[in-house]
Each structure stands twice: as structure tokens, then as C-alpha cells.
Amino acid sequence: MEIVMHGWVFLNYVVLTVDCINDETFIWENIMEHRNYNKYIRKPTVNQSEPIEVDIEIALYTIHSLDMKDQILTTSLGIRMSWTDNFLTWDKSLNGTTNEISAPISEIWKPDVFLTNYAEKSNIFGDNNKRVNIYRNGLVEWHDDIEVKTYCFVDSTRYPFETENCKLHFSAQHLNDQEQKLTIRLPDNFLNLFKSNGEWHISSPGKIRNYTTIVNFNGRNFSSVVLHIEMDRRQTYYVWKFFVPTISITLINIVTFFLPVNSGAKVALSTFVLLGFSAMIELFNESLPSSSNNISYFGSLLWCLLGISGLILAVNVIITVVYKTGVCERFCSILNCENEGNNTNESHNMIQMHSKNLCVYGFCPTRCCATDGHNRATKQKYRTSRDNPTQEACTLKTIKIISSIEDTDPDKEPQQSPESGSDSKKLLEKDKDKDKTNEDIKDEVKEKQSTIRTKQRRLKSYACYVVCFFVMLTPYLVTYFYFIVKLFVGRENENVA
């Protein structure tokens, strides 16, 4: 008995299923064959004076990429279209309870919808096997997920910290606005459907907008809809790629003034910084489109930093050349030399003052201020050489003795005694000892004064380096401040406008 009951239930299920299948087949055959359905008609409306309305619902799933060089946007979309075909209706009372059937999109009339700003031509209804849902009142619904590539004219003014505005234009090619009318809308939860990638994101629902417009082409008006996408670039990657290296190279360039001149690293490090900025500019320009309409603020910043680095390199080269060739040292030695002849004390003091101004205030290297040896070498090179100070002192004493002898009476014979000879020798030895002692004291004083002057020169030189540091830091700070204001201040107001 149970077997009979199960068989009866199964038979009823099969009969009902076949009946339903037969209803759909009957409806489809009735439409296609008995009504002579023509999918090539201009528009499937009974009243030809009324335009057919095509409703387009677009959901943005993700943004794959935006090629800045070629200005191509790649996106994934979910498109749902609906329209009413007056020739795809049936009477419910005559065809059972079937309210909906499905059919291939290739067998029925399709709306005249075309993506106008495509980068790679793609037919929205390219999949002919894609099925549509047809309701008994003639409503047709078609849905598909597609990937499209469209042109997006980027604004590189604030690249890589910008917000790009891209548009997807859908328009008709054959049916004018009196024959076909397009409308567009977004799903209720469209922002939840969007999945941001690592480079682009949409921060608020107001970033995705849609509107309808009329496009005039060859004197004919066509209905058109636009999906406007406002997307923000994620900045973390580009901060570490461009901004942080730029600041690091800038700091390296500034501290070159604290390096000692005799190390030879001032020019080498400045050259490295100059080449680093050149490589940074080349890397930055590779990702920008070849366009002269908009100049990137960050690119202009790199060019300004390159110019300042060239100026610093020139200053360091001049400092190194002056130090290596000894020009400053020789000039200071000449000024420190004592003038012979009719030089007055006033002119001598003036020369000493100029020498101190050059050497003490750090304009020359710390070894520049000439020592006694330098002065003697300069005197031998640029003037007639002088005798040794010790020999000069001995010569003066000899002259004094001879003059005292000549002042005495020539007729009187000199009286010499052993005691007077020994006394004169002792006096000469004492004078020599005093001269040596005085010379030792003078040498010690000169050494102490030289040590003090060297320390003062080093302090003054360090102060000069600090002044150069802040002098070169000022244009860097002004440049950075100006371009940061240009990059980030007022960008929201411009986007709204």
C-alpha cells in the first residue's frame, strides 16, 4: 500500500512539472511563431509616438586600476536593465499560472545602449546566451556583471595625493531621445557592494553620483546617462615612496655644511644629493601622463629642490677649491707681512685689521691665519728676504761698540787688561742669555696667543657653518611650506566645485 502511495505522489509531481514546462514552452512558441515576433523592429511599442523607457541600475563592485600614463580606468560593474516590450505579453487566464518565463537575450529586442568613452570596445550585450526574465505584462529584466575599461582624463595637479573624478557615459547610437529614453539609478545598498582596493577607495555615498543628460551628435539628440565616480587615492604607499625619501635627501644636503673641508666629503655628498633628486624626478615623471595641461605640484617641488641642491653644490665646490689651493692662506699671509720702508703704524694696523676680518670670522679655513713661518715664507717669496733676528741683534751691538770706539780720542792708546777682557765677555754672555730668555718668553706668548686665536677661529668658523645651515634651511622650509599648502589646502572645496 505504501508503495502505491509513493508512486502516486511521484506521478503527480512529474505531471505538474511537465505541465509547467509545457506552459512556458507554449507561451514562448505562441509569442515567437503565432504572433510573428520580430526582434529587429525599431522599438517594441504599440504606440510608436511614445518613447520606450529603459531603466538602468548600476552597482560599482570595485576599481581595479587607474593607469595614470594611459589614463585608462578599469572597473567591475553590475548592470541591471529593464524595459517593457508590448509584444511579449500573455493572458494569465489562458496560460495557466505562469507569470514569468526566461529566454536568451539574443532572441528578443535589445535596447540601444552603448558605452561611449570605452578604451577597449565591448558590447554590453555581448553574451548572447545570457538569459533574461520576461513577465506576463511585458516587463523584461536583464542582469550581467561586466568588466569595462574607460578613458578617464586625470588631473595630475595634486598627484600623488589627489582625488580623481571619472565618468562612465552610456548613450544610444541609433534611437534618438524621442524614440528611447534612458534613466539611471543606484541600488539601495550600493556602497556596501563596493570593495575598495589597495590604491583607491570611496569614502562616502556622495562620491558616486548619477544623472541623465542629452547628447547632440550630427544634429540629433540622444538620451544619455552618466555614472560619476569620485575616488580618493590611498596615500601611505606614495608617502613612503616619494615624500619620505625627498625629506631625507634634503636633510642630508643641509648637513654637508658641518663636514670638515679637508675630509673631501662635502662635494661628494652634495653631488650624491643632486643625483638623488634627478633620479627621483625621473621616477616621478614615469608615472605621469605626457600632458602639458596640468603641472604636478609635487613635481614642481622636486625641481625646486634640485635647483637648491645645485646651488649648495656650487657653494661647497667654491669652499673646497679655496681651501685646497691655499688662496686664502696666501692672501692672509701677505696681509700679515710687515711692510718695510715708509709704512706708518696706521697702515700697519689697517692691514692687521683686514687680516683679522678674513681669518677670525671664519671666511678662511682654520689653518689660514698665517704663523711666523708662513710670514717668513711669504716675505721671502714676495719681498727681499730679511736677516735672522738674532743676527740682527748681534749686528746692532757690534755697531754700538764700533761707534763708542770711534768717539774716543784717537791719540790715546787703548789700555787693555785681562780683567777688563773677562768682564766684557761676561757682559756679552749675560746679554746673550737675556736675549735667549726674552725670545723664549716671546715664543711661549706667541704660542699661547696662537692657540687662543685658533680656538676663536674654530668657534667663529662653526658659527659661520651654523649661519650657512640656517640660510640654506630657510629656502627649503619656504619651498616645502608653499607646496604643502598647494597640495592639501583647499582640495575639498575644489572637488565640491
Side-chain angles (χ1 to χ4, degrees):
M1 187 67 181
E2 292 181 358
I3 296 175
V4 174
M5 290 297 295
H6 285 295
W8 178 255
V9 171
F10 177 75
L11 181 61
N12 288 332
Y13 175 77
V14 171
V15 170
L16 290 175
T17 304
V18 172
D19 188 33
C20 292
I21 295 176
N22 289 335
D23 285 343
E24 287 192 23
T25 304
F26 175 78
I27 293 172
W28 181 250
E29 290 180 354
N30 185 34
I31 293 173
M32 292 291 108
E33 296 178 4
H34 297 87
R35 297 186 188 180
N36 295 324
Y37 181 83
N38 185 8
K39 65 179 179 180
Y40 298 108
I41 59 177
R42 194 162 185 82
K43 57 179 181 177
T45 57
V46 177
N47 187 358
Q48 293 296 317
S49 62
E50 294 181 357
I52 182 172
E53 294 185 359
V54 179
D55 182 64
I56 304 175
E57 182 183 271
I58 300 179
L60 179 63
Y61 289 154
T62 186
I63 299 172
H64 294 289
S65 64
L66 176 59
D67 189 346
M68 293 291 294
K69 195 73 175 178
D70 298 328
Q71 304 187 64
I72 296 177
L73 175 68
T74 305
T75 55
S76 288
L77 305 174
I79 300 180
R80 183 185 298 273
M81 290 189 190
S82 61
W83 63 93
T84 300
D85 191 332
N86 293 334
F87 302 111
L88 293 178
T89 60
W90 64 88
D91 190 353
K92 181 180 179 181
S93 61
L94 299 178
N95 296 282
T97 59
T98 304
N99 293 321
E100 176 185 352
I101 64 173
S102 62
I105 186 66
S106 60
E107 299 295 330
I108 64 173
W109 178 89
K110 297 185 288 291
D112 182 19
V113 181
F114 185 72
L115 182 63
T116 58
N117 62 330
Y118 63 88
E120 290 184 2
K121 189 173 183 179
S122 60
N123 187 3
I124 295 177
F125 303 103
D127 188 1
N128 292 326
N129 296 321
K130 193 71 177 180
R131 304 185 70 85
V132 296
N133 295 326
I134 305 173
Y135 298 90
R136 64 182 182 86
N137 60 350
L139 178 65
V140 181
E141 288 186 349
W142 170 86
H143 176 268
D144 197 6
D145 298 331
I146 60 175
E147 180 180 309
V148 296
K149 292 185 178 182
T150 56
Y151 285 110
C152 176
F153 296 100
V154 299
D155 183 8
S156 58
T157 304
R158 287 187 168 85
Y159 175 80
F161 309 103
E162 86 280 20
T163 298
E164 295 295 345
N165 293 273
C166 297
K167 298 178 181 179
L168 277 69
H169 294 266
F170 296 90
S171 180
Q173 282 186 310
H174 306 288
L175 302 179
N176 58 32
D177 61 336
Q178 300 299 322
E179 297 174 313
Q180 177 180 269
K181 183 180 179 181
L182 301 179
T183 59
I184 186 173
R185 59 189 176 90
L186 299 174
D188 296 333
N189 59 341
F190 68 93
L191 194 60
N192 295 329
L193 298 175
F194 176 76
K195 302 298 181 183
S196 61
N197 63 356
E199 186 175 5
W200 300 98
H201 72 101
I202 297 174
S203 57
S204 63
K207 299 287 187 177
I208 301 179
R209 302 184 294 274
N210 60 88
Y211 57 89
T212 304
T213 183
I214 300 296
V215 178
N216 184 277
F217 182 74
N218 290 335
R220 300 178 61 190
N221 293 328
F222 297 94
S223 179
S224 176
V225 294
V226 178
L227 179 67
H228 186 110
I229 305 172
E230 184 178 330
M231 49 191 185
D232 302 321
R233 187 189 296 273
R234 297 184 185 273
Q235 301 172 1
T236 305
Y237 170 76
Y238 292 94
V239 165
W240 288 102
K241 182 179 180 180
F242 291 121
F243 206 69
V244 172
T246 301
I247 295 178
S248 302
I249 295 175
T250 301
L251 295 177
I252 293 173
N253 202 15
I254 295 175
V255 299
T256 55
F257 287 102
F258 292 99
L259 296 176
V261 184
N262 56 0
S263 66
K266 295 173 74 69
V267 176
L269 193 58
S270 298
T271 306
F272 165 76
V273 171
L274 190 68
L275 295 177
F277 277 123
S278 301
M280 187 73 67
I281 291 174
E282 182 66 22
L283 179 65
F284 182 78
N285 290 336
E286 287 180 356
S287 58
L288 289 178
S290 302
S291 174
S292 301
N293 295 330
N294 299 311
I295 304 301
S296 173
Y297 288 143
F298 191 78
S300 302
L301 170 64
L302 292 178
W303 279 107
C304 291
L305 297 178
L306 180 66
I308 298 174
S309 301
L311 179 61
I312 292 178
L313 175 60
V315 172
N316 286 329
V317 167
I318 293 173
I319 293 174
T320 305
V321 168
V322 170
Y323 179 83
K324 295 293 184 180
T325 57
V327 174
C328 185
E329 180 182 352
R330 294 177 184 177
F331 187 65
C332 291
S333 300
I334 293 172
L335 292 179
N336 284 327
C337 293
E338 297 178 358
N339 290 342
E340 296 179 353
N342 298 324
N343 290 340
T344 60
N345 292 330
E346 183 178 358
S347 63
H348 177 72
N349 293 333
M350 185 65 67
I351 292 173
Q352 294 294 330
M353 181 184 68
H354 287 303
S355 175
K356 290 180 180 179
N357 288 336
L358 287 172
C359 294
V360 175
Y361 287 97
F363 291 102
C364 301
T366 55
R367 69 183 182 91
C368 171
C369 193
T371 60
D372 291 340
H374 293 148
N375 287 336
R376 286 195 296 270
T378 305
K379 292 172 187 178
Q380 291 174 0
K381 185 173 182 180
Y382 295 100
R383 295 201 310 264
T384 306
S385 60
R386 306 178 75 183
D387 295 330
N388 192 293
T390 307
Q391 295 178 356
E392 183 179 357
C394 294
T395 303
L396 291 175
K397 289 182 179 180
T398 305
I399 294 172
K400 289 180 181 180
I401 295 172
I402 294 172
S403 61
S404 62
I405 293 173
E406 291 178 350
D407 291 338
T408 57
D409 188 2
D411 297 332
K412 186 181 294 184
E413 295 182 356
Q415 296 179 359
Q416 296 181 353
S417 64
E419 294 180 358
S420 61
S422 62
D423 292 337
S424 61
K425 289 181 179 179
K426 290 181 180 179
L427 290 174
L428 290 174
E429 290 177 356
K430 288 182 180 179
D431 291 338
K432 290 180 179 179
D433 294 337
K434 289 181 180 180
D435 292 339
K436 290 181 180 179
T437 304
N438 293 332
E439 288 179 358
D440 293 338
I441 294 173
K442 289 181 180 180
D443 292 339
E444 292 179 0
V445 172
K446 286 181 179 180
E447 288 180 359
K448 290 181 181 180
Q449 291 177 350
S450 177
T451 303
I452 294 173
R453 285 196 299 269
T454 301
K455 291 181 180 180
Q456 291 177 350
R457 287 196 301 273
R458 288 177 179 175
L459 292 176
K460 295 293 184 179
S461 179
Y462 180 76
C464 182
Y465 292 154
V466 172
V467 170
C468 291
F469 172 80
F470 284 104
V471 167
M472 299 311 299
L473 181 64
T474 301
Y476 274 123
L477 293 178
V478 172
T479 304
Y480 273 108
F481 178 77
Y482 175 78
F483 284 103
I484 286 174
V485 170
K486 283 288 187 179
L487 279 171
F488 298 105
V489 176
R491 58 182 297 182
E492 294 295 335
N493 296 331
E494 289 186 5
N495 292 332
V496 172

